[in-house]
Amino acid sequence: QVQLVESGGGLVQAGGSLRLSCAASGSIFSFNAMGWYRQAPGKQRILVAALTRGGSTNYADSVKGRFTISKDNAKNTVYLQMNSLKPEDTAVYYCNADVWSTRYWGQGTQVTVSS
């Protein structure tokens, strides 16, 4: 069983930055892919950023140029650097791991962007 723990969320003013971290119990080097999703109240959960084992990335159009996903295999940690934050980015952010067709989720971390 893979366990994921997110941290780094909080309250930030519009235009500010946050870095989210996702610590995994397993070796993320062996994971097929990892990603960050977010869900605002009353909205669908959407993919924000993804990183495959091969190093390719994918971003939602709404965050391109502002967010960057990265990982540190030695620390078993995936990061989401969030710059130029907007109020529309307010949501609970979830870490996800794809371990060869089995998906695991963290419990989420709240990000609130004030204007």
Side-chain angles (χ1 to χ4, degrees):
Q1 184 82 17
V2 173
Q3 293 184 336
L4 306 172
V5 180
E6 303 97 332
S7 62
L11 176 64
V12 65
Q13 292 181 319
S17 298
L18 286 173
R19 188 180 73 165
L20 306 183
S21 298
C22 174
S25 61
S27 176
I28 64 172
F29 178 78
S30 65
F31 294 179
N32 187 54
M34 297 197 71
W36 288 94
Y37 291 71
R38 71 185 184 191
Q39 186 169 26
K43 303 293 185 180
Q44 291 182 294
R45 184 175 297 187
I46 64 167
L47 176 67
V48 175
L51 177 64
T52 71
R53 188 169 181 266
S56 63
T57 58
N58 185 46
Y59 297 95
D61 288 341
S62 59
V63 307
K64 287 181 179 177
R66 300 188 297 120
F67 291 10
T68 303
I69 186 170
S70 62
K71 65 178 180 178
D72 186 331
N73 290 333
K75 296 181 178 180
N76 286 328
T77 301
V78 174
Y79 305 97
L80 184 67
Q81 180 65 47
M82 310 164 67
N83 298 325
S84 302
L85 283 162
K86 305 174 181 179
E88 304 92 272
D89 297 318
T90 295
V92 177
Y93 284 71
Y94 297 90
C95 182
N96 170 259
D98 181 355
V99 186
W100 305 107
S101 81
T102 300
R103 301 179 72 187
Y104 299 89
W105 295 90
Q107 60 185 341
T109 185
Q110 176 71 47
V111 172
T112 302
V113 184
S114 63
S115 60

